[in-house]
Amino acid sequence: MLNTILFANLLLAHLVGDFLLQSNALCESKERKHHKSAFMYVHALIIALLSWVAIGNYQLWGYAVIIGVTHLMIDIAKSYVKTQTLVWFVGDQILHIFVLLIVSYFIGNGWGQFAWIPQKYALILPAFLSAVIICTKPANIFIKMILTRYEIDLPKAKDKELKNAGALIGNLERLLSLVLIIAGQFGAVGFIITAKSILRFRDYERAKTEYVLAGTLLSFGIAIICGCIIKWLI
């Protein structure tokens, strides 16, 4: 039987290791050197250790090893893909999450390290933290790849500062929207979208307008989905 609390903890550990503890430079090193990259193995070890902590029952260290080894195999295979597209990014994450589901299923309800925590909160806390992480770096990567996939982008290199500012604004608006949705303030989210539209659409250049509009819809879409899931769990 699938242990949803354990899965939520393993998912949080995965997001921390795969996004918060992995910089763009280290990712590029993995893609360039493939299996010869030292960080490829360090990263897998970090994932295994975080998973071991998330499992809680330290006698079940074998499952953490399985997660770390499969993560390494998936990352090595992905590193040989010449163009890292949206399909490969999503597929990579689906494979990692599938492994976590399998491990959570085989451990089952025998796992009870945090049984003293009320089940409602034991599930909501890691789920909320996972949603917060998803609304930052993973969302930025996802949105960037979608915009690239459909060739919606700012045409000039001088717009790098605008992209960086857009990523920061996107993080803030998603986190704020996530909190408002959990609080049941859907109307306030609509107000934020309207306010952003007024501030950002004063420039009538088509490329910038398409970039901002597409990015905004994707950004709020991710936040709304994450918020609705957490609200449903609550």
Side-chain angles (χ1 to χ4, degrees), residues 16-72:
V16 170
D18 219 24
F19 293 99
L20 298 188
L21 300 182
Q22 185 173 210
S23 66
N24 292 334
L26 293 173
C27 288
E28 291 173 0
S29 173
K30 288 165 56 181
E31 293 172 4
R32 185 175 63 256
K33 299 180 180 178
H34 309 297
H35 66 280
K36 295 181 180 179
S37 171
F39 180 71
M40 185 76 77
Y41 302 93
V42 172
H43 176 64
L45 178 60
I46 291 173
I47 293 293
L49 290 175
L50 289 173
S51 300
W52 191 30
V53 173
I55 290 173
N57 187 337
Y58 304 126
Q59 295 180 349
L60 301 177
W61 57 269
Y63 288 101
V65 172
I66 291 174
I67 293 173
V69 171
T70 54
H71 194 102
L72 174 63

Side-chain angles (χ1 to χ4, degrees), residues 13-217:
H14 166 73
L15 292 171
V16 170
D18 219 24
F19 293 99
L20 298 188
L21 300 182
Q22 185 173 210
S23 66
N24 292 334
L26 293 173
C27 288
E28 291 173 0
S29 173
K30 288 165 56 181
E31 293 172 4
R32 185 175 63 256
K33 299 180 180 178
H34 309 297
H35 66 280
K36 295 181 180 179
S37 171
F39 180 71
M40 185 76 77
Y41 302 93
V42 172
H43 176 64
L45 178 60
I46 291 173
I47 293 293
L49 290 175
L50 289 173
S51 300
W52 191 30
V53 173
I55 290 173
N57 187 337
Y58 304 126
Q59 295 180 349
L60 301 177
W61 57 269
Y63 288 101
V65 172
I66 291 174
I67 293 173
V69 171
T70 54
H71 194 102
L72 174 63
M73 294 171 63
I74 293 169
D75 279 7
I76 290 177
K78 179 173 175 283
S79 71
Y80 283 94
V81 178
K82 292 183 179 180
T83 304
Q84 299 296 327
T85 62
L86 176 65
V87 173
W88 287 107
F89 172 73
V90 174
D92 171 69
Q93 293 302 314
I94 289 176
L95 287 175
H96 291 317
I97 293 173
F98 179 73
V99 172
L100 302 183
L101 283 169
I102 295 297
V103 169
S104 300
Y105 178 83
F106 277 100
I107 293 180
N109 291 330
W111 177 87
Q113 184 69 18
F114 303 116
W116 54 276
I117 302 177
Q119 184 173 5
K120 179 178 179 180
Y121 299 104
L123 177 61
I124 290 175
L125 181 58
F128 173 74
L129 293 176
S130 295
V132 168
I133 296 175
I134 289 172
C135 285
T136 53
K137 187 175 180 180
N140 286 331
I141 296 173
F142 182 73
I143 292 172
K144 180 180 178 181
M145 286 187 167
I146 288 184
L147 295 179
T148 301
R149 168 66 176 80
Y150 291 97
E151 299 181 351
I152 304 173
D153 204 352
L154 293 178
K156 302 295 183 180
K158 66 181 181 180
D159 290 316
K160 181 179 179 181
E161 293 79 5
L162 181 57
K163 289 185 179 181
N164 292 335
L168 175 59
I169 293 172
N171 288 340
L172 294 175
E173 71 188 18
R174 285 189 294 272
L175 292 175
L176 180 58
S177 299
L178 178 66
V179 173
L180 290 173
I181 291 170
I182 293 174
Q185 300 298 322
F186 289 90
V189 177
F191 176 78
I192 296 175
I193 297 175
T194 303
K196 183 178 179 183
S197 300
I198 294 173
L199 292 174
R200 297 294 294 274
F201 290 157
R202 294 180 66 183
D203 191 332
Y204 293 99
E205 291 183 23
R206 181 176 177 180
K208 291 184 178 181
T209 301
E210 290 179 346
Y211 180 83
V212 173
L213 179 59
T216 297
L217 294 176

